[in-house]
């Protein structure tokens, strides 16, 4: 028997009520979320989960890879322009920098005990104003044997750099100290009383060039970094 129009109308109303009630129950059971999120959730059903690599672990002195055991991590960064100050990092400790408040125009130097890894002294020497070449020479010469010396420039490190200071730095192995020009960016790592391995990155220089300067009147900052093998305890 075919259903009458009245029976069909009753069935339609009953089906509509069931659909409405099912929708009501679903709305009550499922927490509120934006439509876009709901659509994305439906689309994501059956998709393979995305495996995300964990965030890389931060290394000492912001190295990309960790230094081997029984080595010291270091990173030397020259200043850039007026406002990007020089930095000296050793074993993840900022020896010289803006946050430590001991960086200034000229040549900035940190002396570290090679055996213990402890800082001995830090100082900056203005090479644009004042007669600071002599005091800097005395500071360098005061470093005890078995010391690491880290040197970085900020702004100008050459205008009042005299022969005594050049000889003192040259005697530590610098190849670039006599090539320093006005506002050259320069970084240097030295060992006093012992020899560093040949592969250690020790020195870089970058000269001011109006056609290539990153900053107005200044070249780009430069850096060296690496790992220094510790001596026998």
């Amino acid at each position: 028997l075919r259903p009458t129009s009245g029976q069909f109308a009753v069935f339609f109303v009953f089906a509509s009520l069931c659909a409405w009630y099912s929708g009501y129950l679903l709305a009550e059971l499922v927490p509120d979320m934006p439509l876009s999120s709901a659509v994305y959730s439906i689309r994501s059903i059956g998709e393979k989960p995305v495996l995300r690599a964990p965030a890389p672990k931060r290394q000492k002195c912001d190295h990309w890879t960790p230094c081997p055991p029984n080595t010291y991590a270091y990173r030397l960064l020259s200043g850039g322009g007026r406002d990007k100050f020089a930095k000296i990092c050793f074993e993840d400790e900022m020896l010289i920098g803006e946050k430590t408040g001991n960086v200034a125009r000229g040549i900035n130097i940190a002396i570290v005990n090679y055996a213990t890894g402890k800082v001995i002294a830090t100082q900056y020497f203005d090479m644009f104003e004042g007669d600071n070449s002599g005091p800097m020479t005395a500071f360098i010469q005061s470093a005890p044997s078995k010391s690491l010396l880290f040197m970085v420039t900020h702004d100008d490190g050459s205008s009042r750099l005299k022969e005594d200071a050049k000889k003192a730095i040259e005697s530590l192995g610098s190849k670039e100290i006599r090539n320093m020009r006005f506002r050259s960016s320069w970084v240097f790592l030295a060992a006093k009383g012992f020899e560093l391995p040949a592969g250690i990155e020790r020195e870089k220089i970058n000269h001011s060039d109006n056609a290539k300067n990153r900053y107005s009147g200044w070249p780009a900052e430069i850096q060296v970094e690496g790992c220094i093998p510790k001596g026998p305890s």
Side-chain angles (χ1 to χ4, degrees):
L1 297 175
R2 292 184 177 182
T4 64
S5 58
Q7 290 175 325
F8 182 79
V10 171
F11 175 77
F12 178 78
V13 171
F14 178 76
S16 299
L17 288 173
C18 288
W20 173 85
Y21 187 68
S22 298
Y24 171 78
L25 287 178
L26 183 63
E28 289 295 318
L29 294 174
V30 178
D32 293 339
M33 65 174 66
L35 179 59
S36 59
S37 298
V39 172
Y40 176 81
S41 298
I42 293 171
R43 287 179 178 177
S44 65
I45 295 175
E47 292 182 358
K48 293 182 179 180
V50 178
L51 299 179
R52 301 186 184 277
K57 181 181 178 181
R58 183 186 172 277
Q59 307 300 332
K60 291 180 179 179
C61 294
D62 292 322
H63 283 199
W64 284 104
T65 56
C67 281
N70 298 316
T71 62
Y72 295 123
Y74 70 93
R75 181 171 179 258
L76 313 182
L77 178 69
S78 70
R82 291 186 183 276
D83 302 322
K84 294 185 179 296
F85 289 92
K87 297 177 182 178
I88 296 175
C89 179
F90 180 75
E91 277 296 274
D92 218 26
E93 179 183 355
M94 194 63 67
L95 306 185
I96 284 180
E98 185 177 9
K99 290 184 178 180
T100 53
N102 59 347
V103 62
R105 179 177 64 188
I107 298 179
N108 298 260
I109 304 176
I111 302 174
V112 171
N113 184 305
Y114 175 59
T116 65
K118 302 299 182 183
V119 62
I120 296 172
T122 64
Q123 187 60 271
Y124 56 82
F125 300 90
D126 193 336
M127 289 294 139
F128 186 73
E129 290 183 343
D131 185 8
N132 296 305
S133 188
M136 185 177 74
T137 303
F139 182 76
I140 292 171
Q141 292 174 340
S142 73
S145 182
K146 296 297 182 72
S147 293
L148 293 164
L149 290 90
F150 304 95
M151 306 183 192
V152 293
T153 57
H154 177 73
D155 198 329
D156 179 46
S158 68
S159 292
R160 295 180 181 269
L161 185 65
K162 296 182 179 179
E163 183 65 18
D164 57 348
K166 291 178 182 178
K167 284 183 177 179
I169 296 172
E170 196 172 42
S171 69
L172 292 170
S174 172
K175 307 296 184 184
E176 301 288 357
I177 191 61
R178 293 190 180 275
N179 296 326
M180 287 267 284
R181 304 173 193 167
F182 179 65
R183 285 181 175 169
S184 291
S185 293
W186 174 69
V187 295
F188 177 51
L189 159 63
K192 185 175 181 180
F194 67 102
E195 294 294 328
L196 290 170
I200 295 277
E201 189 174 27
R202 299 182 58 184
E203 188 175 27
K204 276 186 181 179
I205 194 167
N206 189 21
H207 301 299
S208 182
D209 182 338
N210 288 332
K212 300 178 180 179
N213 284 342
R214 175 177 293 180
Y215 311 101
S216 178
W218 282 272
E221 58 269 59
I222 54 174
Q223 73 172 13
V224 298
E225 65 179 31
C227 310
I228 302 171
K230 297 180 181 179
S233 56

